[in-house]
Amino acid sequence: MTNDRMIEYYRKRAGEYDKIYFRDDAVRQAELSDLYQISQERLHQKTVLDIACGTGFWTRIVSETTQEIIGLDINRQTLLEAHNKNYQCPISMVEADIYKLPIIPNRCDGLLATYIISHVRRQDHEALGQSLKKVLKPGSSAFICDNNLICETHNRVEWDDAKINSYSHRHLESGEEYVILKNYFEEAELADIFGRWGVISKIIFRKYYWAVLLKF
Ligand SMILES: C[S@@+](CC[C@H](N)C(=O)[O-])C[C@H]1O[C@@H](n2cnc3c(N)ncnc32)[C@H](O)[C@@H]1O
């Protein structure tokens, strides 16, 4: 389900967003560096659908090995940031909602989904997987990743009344506060969610980040 408050938060954050990838933390940087390489290998020579591509940070990374990328995001502002990057393969950007994918079926044989699954309500995971299945070629390769909850650095997290989804308090550089949907997962839950989407080749679960390599 589309979440207006979260979308507004990312619209306002577009210009400052990429800083999260340059935090001065050696362990974090080492984990990210491994994931950059794994995503490039996973999507090598593919026509990739990049859902919620945001400012194009990962789009640019995987463009070094992919054939073509269609980046999709609901925010024009993040897509404008993405347009300002240089890519190593043909790119098109689409302003659209991941819950209403405007993609021609069988056009893509790769999926990139970075830092979006945590912003999907748990009750919507299955439907999202099903709609991706409808547009991706059978056998498509996927690289999906997101971050783990690190108690010492993360903002306050609250649960909804039914304790299904959690919400995180965030501040923009302006000081403005948002409370946005942000779910965190144990490895077993990742196996359950993505096992319904396709065949899991590998789950990588480290201190700061997790990634799932999947075949649709
Ligand atoms: C945490 S950012 C991730 C951006 C990028 N994938 C990355 O890893 O750097 C989440 C992105 O999801 C986008 N987004 C949120 N809800 C969306 C939806 N329903 N459809 C498409 N994009 C959405 C936001 O605009 C934002 O750019």
PDB file of all heavy atoms in Angstrom, residues 1-3 6-7 10-11 13 17-18 20-21 50-58 72-75 78 96-99 113-116 119, ligand 1:
ATOM      1  N   MET A   1       0.833  -1.194   0.000  1.00  0.00           N
ATOM      2  CA  MET A   1       0.000   0.000   0.000  1.00  0.00           C
ATOM      3  C   MET A   1       0.874   1.252   0.000  1.00  0.00           C
ATOM      4  O   MET A   1       1.833   1.323   0.755  1.00  0.00           O
ATOM      5  CB  MET A   1      -0.892   0.004   1.242  1.00  0.00           C
ATOM      6  CG  MET A   1      -2.027   0.978   1.150  1.00  0.00           C
ATOM      7  SD  MET A   1      -3.002   0.994   2.673  1.00  0.00           S
ATOM      8  CE  MET A   1      -1.932   1.872   3.778  1.00  0.00           C
ATOM      9  N   THR A   2       0.579   2.204  -0.869  1.00  0.00           N
ATOM     10  CA  THR A   2       1.372   3.421  -0.968  1.00  0.00           C
ATOM     11  C   THR A   2       1.224   4.246   0.315  1.00  0.00           C
ATOM     12  O   THR A   2       0.124   4.382   0.839  1.00  0.00           O
ATOM     13  CB  THR A   2       0.898   4.246  -2.189  1.00  0.00           C
ATOM     14  OG1 THR A   2       0.829   3.366  -3.305  1.00  0.00           O
ATOM     15  CG2 THR A   2       1.857   5.365  -2.498  1.00  0.00           C
ATOM     16  N   ASN A   3       2.357   4.775   0.792  1.00  0.00           N
ATOM     17  CA  ASN A   3       2.363   5.472   2.080  1.00  0.00           C
ATOM     18  C   ASN A   3       2.805   6.923   1.860  1.00  0.00           C
ATOM     19  O   ASN A   3       3.980   7.199   1.625  1.00  0.00           O
ATOM     20  CB  ASN A   3       3.332   4.723   3.006  1.00  0.00           C
ATOM     21  CG  ASN A   3       3.427   5.334   4.374  1.00  0.00           C
ATOM     22  OD1 ASN A   3       3.554   6.550   4.519  1.00  0.00           O
ATOM     23  ND2 ASN A   3       3.402   4.494   5.384  1.00  0.00           N
ATOM     24  N   MET A   6       5.695   8.630   3.996  1.00  0.00           N
ATOM     25  CA  MET A   6       7.032   8.126   3.674  1.00  0.00           C
ATOM     26  C   MET A   6       7.504   8.699   2.330  1.00  0.00           C
ATOM     27  O   MET A   6       8.666   9.070   2.173  1.00  0.00           O
ATOM     28  CB  MET A   6       6.963   6.605   3.627  1.00  0.00           C
ATOM     29  CG  MET A   6       8.305   5.940   3.524  1.00  0.00           C
ATOM     30  SD  MET A   6       8.433   5.010   2.041  1.00  0.00           S
ATOM     31  CE  MET A   6       7.154   3.812   2.251  1.00  0.00           C
ATOM     32  N   ILE A   7       6.590   8.815   1.398  1.00  0.00           N
ATOM     33  CA  ILE A   7       6.950   9.342   0.078  1.00  0.00           C
ATOM     34  C   ILE A   7       7.378  10.806   0.203  1.00  0.00           C
ATOM     35  O   ILE A   7       8.382  11.233  -0.382  1.00  0.00           O
ATOM     36  CB  ILE A   7       5.768   9.148  -0.898  1.00  0.00           C
ATOM     37  CG1 ILE A   7       5.651   7.647  -1.202  1.00  0.00           C
ATOM     38  CG2 ILE A   7       5.954   9.955  -2.169  1.00  0.00           C
ATOM     39  CD1 ILE A   7       4.338   7.245  -1.776  1.00  0.00           C
ATOM     40  N   TYR A  10      10.933  10.982   1.585  1.00  0.00           N
ATOM     41  CA  TYR A  10      11.998  10.734   0.604  1.00  0.00           C
ATOM     42  C   TYR A  10      12.086  11.837  -0.451  1.00  0.00           C
ATOM     43  O   TYR A  10      13.163  12.108  -0.974  1.00  0.00           O
ATOM     44  CB  TYR A  10      11.847   9.341  -0.026  1.00  0.00           C
ATOM     45  CG  TYR A  10      12.393   8.284   0.909  1.00  0.00           C
ATOM     46  CD1 TYR A  10      11.563   7.360   1.510  1.00  0.00           C
ATOM     47  CD2 TYR A  10      13.744   8.255   1.232  1.00  0.00           C
ATOM     48  CE1 TYR A  10      12.065   6.421   2.407  1.00  0.00           C
ATOM     49  CE2 TYR A  10      14.259   7.330   2.123  1.00  0.00           C
ATOM     50  CZ  TYR A  10      13.422   6.419   2.713  1.00  0.00           C
ATOM     51  OH  TYR A  10      13.933   5.504   3.598  1.00  0.00           O
ATOM     52  N   ARG A  11      10.969  12.469  -0.723  1.00  0.00           N
ATOM     53  CA  ARG A  11      11.011  13.608  -1.662  1.00  0.00           C
ATOM     54  C   ARG A  11      11.874  14.716  -1.068  1.00  0.00           C
ATOM     55  O   ARG A  11      12.763  15.256  -1.722  1.00  0.00           O
ATOM     56  CB  ARG A  11       9.586  14.119  -1.935  1.00  0.00           C
ATOM     57  CG  ARG A  11       9.555  15.368  -2.823  1.00  0.00           C
ATOM     58  CD  ARG A  11       8.139  15.705  -3.284  1.00  0.00           C
ATOM     59  NE  ARG A  11       7.187  15.921  -2.196  1.00  0.00           N
ATOM     60  CZ  ARG A  11       7.132  17.005  -1.428  1.00  0.00           C
ATOM     61  NH1 ARG A  11       7.972  17.992  -1.619  1.00  0.00           N
ATOM     62  NH2 ARG A  11       6.230  17.098  -0.467  1.00  0.00           N
ATOM     63  N   ARG A  13      14.087  14.420   1.213  1.00  0.00           N
ATOM     64  CA  ARG A  13      15.433  13.965   1.552  1.00  0.00           C
ATOM     65  C   ARG A  13      16.319  13.741   0.318  1.00  0.00           C
ATOM     66  O   ARG A  13      17.523  13.447   0.454  1.00  0.00           O
ATOM     67  CB  ARG A  13      15.299  12.649   2.335  1.00  0.00           C
ATOM     68  CG  ARG A  13      16.538  12.257   3.064  1.00  0.00           C
ATOM     69  CD  ARG A  13      16.344  10.954   3.802  1.00  0.00           C
ATOM     70  NE  ARG A  13      17.608  10.353   4.148  1.00  0.00           N
ATOM     71  CZ  ARG A  13      17.760   9.102   4.533  1.00  0.00           C
ATOM     72  NH1 ARG A  13      16.713   8.325   4.627  1.00  0.00           N
ATOM     73  NH2 ARG A  13      18.945   8.622   4.815  1.00  0.00           N
ATOM     74  N   TYR A  17      20.185  12.319   0.442  1.00  0.00           N
ATOM     75  CA  TYR A  17      20.040  10.875   0.638  1.00  0.00           C
ATOM     76  C   TYR A  17      21.356  10.088   0.506  1.00  0.00           C
ATOM     77  O   TYR A  17      21.664   9.232   1.344  1.00  0.00           O
ATOM     78  CB  TYR A  17      19.005  10.313  -0.350  1.00  0.00           C
ATOM     79  CG  TYR A  17      18.820   8.827  -0.207  1.00  0.00           C
ATOM     80  CD1 TYR A  17      18.038   8.294   0.813  1.00  0.00           C
ATOM     81  CD2 TYR A  17      19.476   7.933  -1.061  1.00  0.00           C
ATOM     82  CE1 TYR A  17      17.894   6.931   0.977  1.00  0.00           C
ATOM     83  CE2 TYR A  17      19.339   6.565  -0.905  1.00  0.00           C
ATOM     84  CZ  TYR A  17      18.550   6.070   0.108  1.00  0.00           C
ATOM     85  OH  TYR A  17      18.420   4.713   0.272  1.00  0.00           O
ATOM     86  N   ASP A  18      22.146  10.359  -0.526  1.00  0.00           N
ATOM     87  CA  ASP A  18      23.314   9.504  -0.816  1.00  0.00           C
ATOM     88  C   ASP A  18      24.353   9.483   0.306  1.00  0.00           C
ATOM     89  O   ASP A  18      25.189   8.578   0.361  1.00  0.00           O
ATOM     90  CB  ASP A  18      23.997   9.935  -2.128  1.00  0.00           C
ATOM     91  CG  ASP A  18      23.208   9.485  -3.349  1.00  0.00           C
ATOM     92  OD1 ASP A  18      22.108   8.925  -3.165  1.00  0.00           O
ATOM     93  OD2 ASP A  18      23.681   9.704  -4.477  1.00  0.00           O
ATOM     94  N   ILE A  20      24.077   8.509   3.194  1.00  0.00           N
ATOM     95  CA  ILE A  20      24.016   7.282   4.019  1.00  0.00           C
ATOM     96  C   ILE A  20      25.005   6.225   3.547  1.00  0.00           C
ATOM     97  O   ILE A  20      25.351   5.321   4.292  1.00  0.00           O
ATOM     98  CB  ILE A  20      22.610   6.625   4.058  1.00  0.00           C
ATOM     99  CG1 ILE A  20      22.097   6.346   2.654  1.00  0.00           C
ATOM    100  CG2 ILE A  20      21.641   7.393   4.900  1.00  0.00           C
ATOM    101  CD1 ILE A  20      20.995   5.282   2.656  1.00  0.00           C
ATOM    102  N   TYR A  21      25.429   6.327   2.282  1.00  0.00           N
ATOM    103  CA  TYR A  21      26.349   5.309   1.759  1.00  0.00           C
ATOM    104  C   TYR A  21      27.811   5.651   2.040  1.00  0.00           C
ATOM    105  O   TYR A  21      28.699   4.911   1.658  1.00  0.00           O
ATOM    106  CB  TYR A  21      26.134   5.131   0.258  1.00  0.00           C
ATOM    107  CG  TYR A  21      24.780   4.524  -0.035  1.00  0.00           C
ATOM    108  CD1 TYR A  21      23.788   5.242  -0.700  1.00  0.00           C
ATOM    109  CD2 TYR A  21      24.488   3.235   0.395  1.00  0.00           C
ATOM    110  CE1 TYR A  21      22.543   4.681  -0.949  1.00  0.00           C
ATOM    111  CE2 TYR A  21      23.241   2.676   0.159  1.00  0.00           C
ATOM    112  CZ  TYR A  21      22.285   3.397  -0.513  1.00  0.00           C
ATOM    113  OH  TYR A  21      21.052   2.834  -0.745  1.00  0.00           O
ATOM    114  N   ASP A  50      14.631  -1.788 -11.689  1.00  0.00           N
ATOM    115  CA  ASP A  50      15.131  -1.298 -10.393  1.00  0.00           C
ATOM    116  C   ASP A  50      13.957  -0.630  -9.685  1.00  0.00           C
ATOM    117  O   ASP A  50      13.605   0.523  -9.984  1.00  0.00           O
ATOM    118  CB  ASP A  50      16.277  -0.314 -10.664  1.00  0.00           C
ATOM    119  CG  ASP A  50      16.891   0.258  -9.390  1.00  0.00           C
ATOM    120  OD1 ASP A  50      16.462  -0.120  -8.285  1.00  0.00           O
ATOM    121  OD2 ASP A  50      17.805   1.105  -9.529  1.00  0.00           O
ATOM    122  N   ILE A  51      13.307  -1.375  -8.779  1.00  0.00           N
ATOM    123  CA  ILE A  51      12.101  -0.817  -8.136  1.00  0.00           C
ATOM    124  C   ILE A  51      12.500   0.108  -6.986  1.00  0.00           C
ATOM    125  O   ILE A  51      13.351  -0.227  -6.184  1.00  0.00           O
ATOM    126  CB  ILE A  51      11.101  -1.901  -7.663  1.00  0.00           C
ATOM    127  CG1 ILE A  51      11.751  -2.931  -6.742  1.00  0.00           C
ATOM    128  CG2 ILE A  51      10.400  -2.563  -8.834  1.00  0.00           C
ATOM    129  CD1 ILE A  51      10.737  -3.784  -5.974  1.00  0.00           C
ATOM    130  N   ALA A  52      11.866   1.288  -6.976  1.00  0.00           N
ATOM    131  CA  ALA A  52      12.178   2.324  -5.975  1.00  0.00           C
ATOM    132  C   ALA A  52      13.666   2.682  -6.071  1.00  0.00           C
ATOM    133  O   ALA A  52      14.398   2.623  -5.089  1.00  0.00           O
ATOM    134  CB  ALA A  52      11.781   1.878  -4.578  1.00  0.00           C
ATOM    135  N   CYS A  53      14.082   3.063  -7.264  1.00  0.00           N
ATOM    136  CA  CYS A  53      15.509   3.316  -7.545  1.00  0.00           C
ATOM    137  C   CYS A  53      16.023   4.552  -6.821  1.00  0.00           C
ATOM    138  O   CYS A  53      17.236   4.744  -6.703  1.00  0.00           O
ATOM    139  CB  CYS A  53      15.740   3.451  -9.038  1.00  0.00           C
ATOM    140  SG  CYS A  53      14.928   4.891  -9.761  1.00  0.00           S
ATOM    141  N   GLY A  54      15.123   5.411  -6.341  1.00  0.00           N
ATOM    142  CA  GLY A  54      15.543   6.586  -5.577  1.00  0.00           C
ATOM    143  C   GLY A  54      16.482   7.469  -6.372  1.00  0.00           C
ATOM    144  O   GLY A  54      16.213   7.809  -7.534  1.00  0.00           O
ATOM    145  N   THR A  55      17.611   7.820  -5.775  1.00  0.00           N
ATOM    146  CA  THR A  55      18.566   8.738  -6.404  1.00  0.00           C
ATOM    147  C   THR A  55      19.503   8.019  -7.382  1.00  0.00           C
ATOM    148  O   THR A  55      20.450   8.624  -7.879  1.00  0.00           O
ATOM    149  CB  THR A  55      19.417   9.425  -5.325  1.00  0.00           C
ATOM    150  OG1 THR A  55      20.089   8.394  -4.571  1.00  0.00           O
ATOM    151  CG2 THR A  55      18.571  10.267  -4.381  1.00  0.00           C
ATOM    152  N   GLY A  56      19.264   6.730  -7.595  1.00  0.00           N
ATOM    153  CA  GLY A  56      20.053   5.991  -8.594  1.00  0.00           C
ATOM    154  C   GLY A  56      21.410   5.521  -8.089  1.00  0.00           C
ATOM    155  O   GLY A  56      22.271   5.143  -8.887  1.00  0.00           O
ATOM    156  N   PHE A  57      21.594   5.499  -6.772  1.00  0.00           N
ATOM    157  CA  PHE A  57      22.902   5.116  -6.242  1.00  0.00           C
ATOM    158  C   PHE A  57      23.275   3.687  -6.665  1.00  0.00           C
ATOM    159  O   PHE A  57      24.355   3.446  -7.207  1.00  0.00           O
ATOM    160  CB  PHE A  57      22.913   5.246  -4.708  1.00  0.00           C
ATOM    161  CG  PHE A  57      24.261   4.975  -4.125  1.00  0.00           C
ATOM    162  CD1 PHE A  57      25.204   5.987  -4.031  1.00  0.00           C
ATOM    163  CD2 PHE A  57      24.607   3.700  -3.703  1.00  0.00           C
ATOM    164  CE1 PHE A  57      26.475   5.721  -3.514  1.00  0.00           C
ATOM    165  CE2 PHE A  57      25.872   3.434  -3.185  1.00  0.00           C
ATOM    166  CZ  PHE A  57      26.798   4.450  -3.090  1.00  0.00           C
ATOM    167  N   TRP A  58      22.371   2.738  -6.419  1.00  0.00           N
ATOM    168  CA  TRP A  58      22.645   1.336  -6.807  1.00  0.00           C
ATOM    169  C   TRP A  58      22.489   1.155  -8.317  1.00  0.00           C
ATOM    170  O   TRP A  58      23.146   0.300  -8.911  1.00  0.00           O
ATOM    171  CB  TRP A  58      21.708   0.390  -6.064  1.00  0.00           C
ATOM    172  CG  TRP A  58      22.074   0.207  -4.629  1.00  0.00           C
ATOM    173  CD1 TRP A  58      21.774   1.057  -3.607  1.00  0.00           C
ATOM    174  CD2 TRP A  58      22.836  -0.860  -4.053  1.00  0.00           C
ATOM    175  NE1 TRP A  58      22.295   0.571  -2.432  1.00  0.00           N
ATOM    176  CE2 TRP A  58      22.949  -0.605  -2.668  1.00  0.00           C
ATOM    177  CE3 TRP A  58      23.423  -2.014  -4.578  1.00  0.00           C
ATOM    178  CZ2 TRP A  58      23.619  -1.465  -1.796  1.00  0.00           C
ATOM    179  CZ3 TRP A  58      24.091  -2.873  -3.712  1.00  0.00           C
ATOM    180  CH2 TRP A  58      24.188  -2.594  -2.347  1.00  0.00           C
ATOM    181  N   LEU A  72      12.563   2.802 -11.489  1.00  0.00           N
ATOM    182  CA  LEU A  72      11.187   3.237 -11.220  1.00  0.00           C
ATOM    183  C   LEU A  72      11.114   3.793  -9.805  1.00  0.00           C
ATOM    184  O   LEU A  72      11.627   3.190  -8.872  1.00  0.00           O
ATOM    185  CB  LEU A  72      10.312   1.992 -11.380  1.00  0.00           C
ATOM    186  CG  LEU A  72       8.826   2.051 -11.179  1.00  0.00           C
ATOM    187  CD1 LEU A  72       8.167   0.981 -12.048  1.00  0.00           C
ATOM    188  CD2 LEU A  72       8.451   1.819  -9.739  1.00  0.00           C
ATOM    189  N   ASP A  73      10.530   4.974  -9.672  1.00  0.00           N
ATOM    190  CA  ASP A  73      10.331   5.546  -8.336  1.00  0.00           C
ATOM    191  C   ASP A  73       9.101   6.438  -8.378  1.00  0.00           C
ATOM    192  O   ASP A  73       8.760   7.002  -9.412  1.00  0.00           O
ATOM    193  CB  ASP A  73      11.561   6.360  -7.896  1.00  0.00           C
ATOM    194  CG  ASP A  73      11.630   6.514  -6.376  1.00  0.00           C
ATOM    195  OD1 ASP A  73      10.896   7.379  -5.832  1.00  0.00           O
ATOM    196  OD2 ASP A  73      12.396   5.775  -5.736  1.00  0.00           O
ATOM    197  N   ILE A  74       8.471   6.579  -7.230  1.00  0.00           N
ATOM    198  CA  ILE A  74       7.237   7.368  -7.167  1.00  0.00           C
ATOM    199  C   ILE A  74       7.537   8.859  -7.051  1.00  0.00           C
ATOM    200  O   ILE A  74       6.673   9.692  -7.313  1.00  0.00           O
ATOM    201  CB  ILE A  74       6.363   6.878  -5.990  1.00  0.00           C
ATOM    202  CG1 ILE A  74       4.905   7.197  -6.232  1.00  0.00           C
ATOM    203  CG2 ILE A  74       6.859   7.412  -4.653  1.00  0.00           C
ATOM    204  CD1 ILE A  74       3.955   6.343  -5.424  1.00  0.00           C
ATOM    205  N   ASN A  75       8.780   9.194  -6.690  1.00  0.00           N
ATOM    206  CA  ASN A  75       9.141  10.588  -6.431  1.00  0.00           C
ATOM    207  C   ASN A  75       9.898  11.219  -7.600  1.00  0.00           C
ATOM    208  O   ASN A  75      10.995  10.775  -7.943  1.00  0.00           O
ATOM    209  CB  ASN A  75      10.056  10.655  -5.200  1.00  0.00           C
ATOM    210  CG  ASN A  75       9.293  10.959  -3.934  1.00  0.00           C
ATOM    211  OD1 ASN A  75       8.435  11.845  -3.925  1.00  0.00           O
ATOM    212  ND2 ASN A  75       9.612  10.248  -2.871  1.00  0.00           N
ATOM    213  N   THR A  78      13.497  12.429  -6.439  1.00  0.00           N
ATOM    214  CA  THR A  78      14.605  11.462  -6.372  1.00  0.00           C
ATOM    215  C   THR A  78      15.046  11.082  -7.786  1.00  0.00           C
ATOM    216  O   THR A  78      16.232  10.903  -8.047  1.00  0.00           O
ATOM    217  CB  THR A  78      14.236  10.182  -5.575  1.00  0.00           C
ATOM    218  OG1 THR A  78      13.144   9.551  -6.194  1.00  0.00           O
ATOM    219  CG2 THR A  78      13.904  10.488  -4.138  1.00  0.00           C
ATOM    220  N   ALA A  96       6.618   6.118 -11.139  1.00  0.00           N
ATOM    221  CA  ALA A  96       5.483   5.198 -10.959  1.00  0.00           C
ATOM    222  C   ALA A  96       5.528   4.566  -9.578  1.00  0.00           C
ATOM    223  O   ALA A  96       6.528   4.625  -8.866  1.00  0.00           O
ATOM    224  CB  ALA A  96       5.524   4.104 -12.031  1.00  0.00           C
ATOM    225  N   ASP A  97       4.406   3.922  -9.255  1.00  0.00           N
ATOM    226  CA  ASP A  97       4.203   3.275  -7.963  1.00  0.00           C
ATOM    227  C   ASP A  97       4.549   1.784  -8.089  1.00  0.00           C
ATOM    228  O   ASP A  97       4.079   1.121  -9.023  1.00  0.00           O
ATOM    229  CB  ASP A  97       2.711   3.460  -7.614  1.00  0.00           C
ATOM    230  CG  ASP A  97       2.370   3.051  -6.197  1.00  0.00           C
ATOM    231  OD1 ASP A  97       3.130   2.247  -5.610  1.00  0.00           O
ATOM    232  OD2 ASP A  97       1.342   3.527  -5.693  1.00  0.00           O
ATOM    233  N   ILE A  98       5.322   1.265  -7.149  1.00  0.00           N
ATOM    234  CA  ILE A  98       5.667  -0.172  -7.223  1.00  0.00           C
ATOM    235  C   ILE A  98       4.443  -1.066  -7.083  1.00  0.00           C
ATOM    236  O   ILE A  98       4.494  -2.236  -7.431  1.00  0.00           O
ATOM    237  CB  ILE A  98       6.714  -0.579  -6.151  1.00  0.00           C
ATOM    238  CG1 ILE A  98       6.226  -0.255  -4.732  1.00  0.00           C
ATOM    239  CG2 ILE A  98       8.066   0.035  -6.428  1.00  0.00           C
ATOM    240  CD1 ILE A  98       7.028  -0.931  -3.638  1.00  0.00           C
ATOM    241  N   TYR A  99       3.362  -0.524  -6.550  1.00  0.00           N
ATOM    242  CA  TYR A  99       2.152  -1.337  -6.402  1.00  0.00           C
ATOM    243  C   TYR A  99       1.266  -1.300  -7.649  1.00  0.00           C
ATOM    244  O   TYR A  99       0.215  -1.928  -7.693  1.00  0.00           O
ATOM    245  CB  TYR A  99       1.356  -0.891  -5.170  1.00  0.00           C
ATOM    246  CG  TYR A  99       2.182  -1.003  -3.900  1.00  0.00           C
ATOM    247  CD1 TYR A  99       2.656   0.142  -3.269  1.00  0.00           C
ATOM    248  CD2 TYR A  99       2.516  -2.242  -3.372  1.00  0.00           C
ATOM    249  CE1 TYR A  99       3.436   0.050  -2.116  1.00  0.00           C
ATOM    250  CE2 TYR A  99       3.296  -2.349  -2.232  1.00  0.00           C
ATOM    251  CZ  TYR A  99       3.754  -1.199  -1.612  1.00  0.00           C
ATOM    252  OH  TYR A  99       4.539  -1.299  -0.479  1.00  0.00           O
ATOM    253  N   ALA A 113      16.224  -4.481  -6.005  1.00  0.00           N
ATOM    254  CA  ALA A 113      15.301  -3.900  -5.012  1.00  0.00           C
ATOM    255  C   ALA A 113      16.116  -3.580  -3.765  1.00  0.00           C
ATOM    256  O   ALA A 113      16.333  -4.448  -2.915  1.00  0.00           O
ATOM    257  CB  ALA A 113      14.175  -4.872  -4.699  1.00  0.00           C
ATOM    258  N   THR A 114      16.599  -2.351  -3.681  1.00  0.00           N
ATOM    259  CA  THR A 114      17.453  -1.995  -2.546  1.00  0.00           C
ATOM    260  C   THR A 114      16.727  -1.008  -1.638  1.00  0.00           C
ATOM    261  O   THR A 114      16.181  -0.008  -2.095  1.00  0.00           O
ATOM    262  CB  THR A 114      18.785  -1.377  -3.053  1.00  0.00           C
ATOM    263  OG1 THR A 114      18.510  -0.278  -3.908  1.00  0.00           O
ATOM    264  CG2 THR A 114      19.614  -2.408  -3.812  1.00  0.00           C
ATOM    265  N   TYR A 115      16.701  -1.321  -0.378  1.00  0.00           N
ATOM    266  CA  TYR A 115      16.127  -0.441   0.666  1.00  0.00           C
ATOM    267  C   TYR A 115      14.682  -0.044   0.398  1.00  0.00           C
ATOM    268  O   TYR A 115      14.275   1.064   0.716  1.00  0.00           O
ATOM    269  CB  TYR A 115      17.020   0.802   0.868  1.00  0.00           C
ATOM    270  CG  TYR A 115      18.420   0.378   1.161  1.00  0.00           C
ATOM    271  CD1 TYR A 115      19.338   0.231   0.135  1.00  0.00           C
ATOM    272  CD2 TYR A 115      18.775   0.034   2.457  1.00  0.00           C
ATOM    273  CE1 TYR A 115      20.611  -0.247   0.385  1.00  0.00           C
ATOM    274  CE2 TYR A 115      20.036  -0.443   2.711  1.00  0.00           C
ATOM    275  CZ  TYR A 115      20.949  -0.576   1.684  1.00  0.00           C
ATOM    276  OH  TYR A 115      22.189  -1.065   1.932  1.00  0.00           O
ATOM    277  N   ILE A 116      13.924  -0.966  -0.163  1.00  0.00           N
ATOM    278  CA  ILE A 116      12.499  -0.707  -0.337  1.00  0.00           C
ATOM    279  C   ILE A 116      11.661  -1.740   0.429  1.00  0.00           C
ATOM    280  O   ILE A 116      10.588  -1.413   0.938  1.00  0.00           O
ATOM    281  CB  ILE A 116      12.088  -0.640  -1.843  1.00  0.00           C
ATOM    282  CG1 ILE A 116      10.598  -0.322  -1.992  1.00  0.00           C
ATOM    283  CG2 ILE A 116      12.481  -1.878  -2.625  1.00  0.00           C
ATOM    284  CD1 ILE A 116      10.176   1.020  -1.444  1.00  0.00           C
ATOM    285  N   HIS A 119      10.228  -0.830   3.643  1.00  0.00           N
ATOM    286  CA  HIS A 119       9.164   0.183   3.601  1.00  0.00           C
ATOM    287  C   HIS A 119       7.853  -0.378   3.053  1.00  0.00           C
ATOM    288  O   HIS A 119       6.954   0.384   2.699  1.00  0.00           O
ATOM    289  CB  HIS A 119       9.611   1.370   2.739  1.00  0.00           C
ATOM    290  CG  HIS A 119      10.796   2.101   3.289  1.00  0.00           C
ATOM    291  ND1 HIS A 119      10.859   2.548   4.586  1.00  0.00           N
ATOM    292  CD2 HIS A 119      11.968   2.471   2.712  1.00  0.00           C
ATOM    293  CE1 HIS A 119      12.012   3.166   4.781  1.00  0.00           C
ATOM    294  NE2 HIS A 119      12.716   3.121   3.670  1.00  0.00           N
TER     295      HIS A 119
HETATM  296  C1  LIG B   1      15.196   4.086   1.054  1.00  0.00           C
HETATM  297  S1  LIG B   1      14.910   4.758  -0.530  1.00  0.00           S
HETATM  298  C2  LIG B   1      15.767   3.575  -1.538  1.00  0.00           C
HETATM  299  C3  LIG B   1      16.295   4.176  -2.817  1.00  0.00           C
HETATM  300  C4  LIG B   1      17.265   3.294  -3.592  1.00  0.00           C
HETATM  301  N1  LIG B   1      16.667   2.059  -3.992  1.00  0.00           N
HETATM  302  C5  LIG B   1      18.510   3.031  -2.771  1.00  0.00           C
HETATM  303  O1  LIG B   1      18.718   1.882  -2.373  1.00  0.00           O
HETATM  304  O2  LIG B   1      19.305   3.940  -2.556  1.00  0.00           O
HETATM  305  C6  LIG B   1      13.228   4.355  -0.801  1.00  0.00           C
HETATM  306  C7  LIG B   1      12.696   4.865  -2.117  1.00  0.00           C
HETATM  307  O3  LIG B   1      11.411   4.275  -2.332  1.00  0.00           O
HETATM  308  C8  LIG B   1      10.613   5.199  -3.014  1.00  0.00           C
HETATM  309  N2  LIG B   1       9.228   4.747  -2.838  1.00  0.00           N
HETATM  310  C9  LIG B   1       8.534   4.676  -1.681  1.00  0.00           C
HETATM  311  N3  LIG B   1       7.331   4.156  -1.897  1.00  0.00           N
HETATM  312  C10 LIG B   1       7.247   3.914  -3.228  1.00  0.00           C
HETATM  313  C11 LIG B   1       6.240   3.366  -4.069  1.00  0.00           C
HETATM  314  N4  LIG B   1       5.053   3.009  -3.577  1.00  0.00           N
HETATM  315  N5  LIG B   1       6.493   3.234  -5.388  1.00  0.00           N
HETATM  316  C12 LIG B   1       7.688   3.623  -5.904  1.00  0.00           C
HETATM  317  N6  LIG B   1       8.681   4.154  -5.149  1.00  0.00           N
HETATM  318  C13 LIG B   1       8.467   4.284  -3.824  1.00  0.00           C
HETATM  319  C14 LIG B   1      10.960   6.525  -2.377  1.00  0.00           C
HETATM  320  O4  LIG B   1      10.621   7.617  -3.201  1.00  0.00           O
HETATM  321  C15 LIG B   1      12.479   6.361  -2.191  1.00  0.00           C
HETATM  322  O5  LIG B   1      13.178   6.881  -3.302  1.00  0.00           O
END
